[in-house]
Amino acid sequence: ADDFAAFLADEPLAARSGHFTQVLARWFRETHRATILQNWGLLWMWHSLVLLVICVSTDALRWRGHSARLPYVLMWTAGLGTWASITWALRRRSGPVTFTERQVAHVWAASLVAIAGLFAVEWLLELRVLTLSPVLGLVSGMVFLIKAGMLTGKFYAQAVALFASGVAMAVMQRFDRPGGITLFGVVSALCFFVPGLKYHRQLLAEREPESP
């Protein structure tokens, strides 16, 4: 009875299996909160496009030799901040926002603040603009790690991919290889687009009228 009540409350159970496959299944299972992702499926697909455009535009400016900070700061702070406001407004128009969604939104907002802070730290340390860009992968990986614990363990895969992209960006920068931010853009876009498509399809399936 205690385990049944714990299961309904999405709390740990006393009865557990030691089989490795079942342990993995528990790690990667969805929580009961994962249903809120249906509200974000389409928005996440659009978000993946916005991220990719910003990342490709950033590398395009670098390839053309733009070293001034202002264009990059505007894209990554004003640009992403404006898009975040639009996304939140669209979500609120589609229905009531849950407490869990507000928590996830705060995590997302924290990542935006951290990204803006990277430019401030570069300026204070007199570093060349985008020197700290590999940290983008680490910040984004942390966001998905938190969402994995809150929503679905499948997001651990996205977290690992984004952490790895940060390391890859650092290696590319170390050996003066271009395209590191575009690499991050592709990885992060996929991390949002794939689950976005999945949960958007789930929402459409639930809205389909039942056959007579």
Side-chain angles (χ1 to χ4, degrees):
D2 290 340
D3 271 351
F4 183 67
F7 174 78
L8 294 177
D10 196 39
E11 296 175 351
L13 307 181
R16 289 186 176 273
S17 170
H19 292 293
F20 181 70
T21 55
Q22 295 188 9
V23 172
L24 280 180
R26 288 198 298 270
W27 287 349
F28 289 95
R29 70 182 177 89
E30 291 186 347
T31 70
H32 68 281
R33 303 181 186 92
T35 55
I36 68 167
L37 292 172
Q38 294 180 10
N39 300 327
W40 292 89
L42 184 59
L43 292 173
W44 274 21
M45 286 191 284
W46 281 109
H47 182 61
S48 67
L49 177 61
V50 171
L51 277 176
L52 188 58
V53 169
I54 288 178
C55 290
V56 172
S57 300
T58 298
D59 265 344
L61 285 178
R62 295 178 74 184
W63 293 335
R64 294 179 181 178
H66 290 274
S67 57
R69 297 184 192 276
L70 185 59
Y72 302 104
V73 172
L74 289 177
M75 276 195 294
W76 286 91
T77 57
L80 275 181
T82 300
W83 169 243
S85 299
I86 294 171
T87 303
W88 187 248
L90 290 173
R91 170 61 192 94
R92 293 184 65 182
R93 288 182 60 185
S94 64
V97 178
T98 67
F99 176 73
T100 301
E101 287 176 282
R102 292 185 182 278
Q103 290 179 312
V104 174
H106 277 76
V107 175
W108 188 16
S111 71
L112 295 179
V113 172
I115 290 171
L118 292 179
F119 290 101
V121 170
E122 287 176 342
W123 176 72
L124 288 171
L125 296 179
E126 298 182 353
L127 298 174
R128 186 177 62 182
V129 66
L130 300 176
T131 299
L132 301 179
S133 59
V135 180
L136 292 172
L138 305 183
V139 171
S140 300
M142 290 174 62
V143 171
F144 269 95
L145 188 65
I146 294 170
K147 289 193 289 191
M150 295 175 62
L151 301 170
T152 170
K154 293 181 176 64
F155 286 158
Y156 287 124
Q158 277 91 334
V160 170
L162 287 163
F163 286 139
S165 73
V167 174
M169 291 168 70
V171 172
M172 294 172 71
Q173 186 169 295
R174 173 68 177 81
F175 293 99
D176 199 25
R177 302 293 184 185
I181 296 180
T182 298
L183 171 65
F184 166 75
V186 172
V187 174
S188 58
L190 287 172
C191 287
F192 280 98
F193 183 84
V194 173
L197 179 60
K198 170 189 173 181
Y199 288 104
H200 181 58
R201 285 177 171 174
Q202 285 185 6
L203 179 63
L204 293 178
E206 289 188 2
R207 288 179 176 177
E208 287 182 357
E210 295 183 2
S211 301

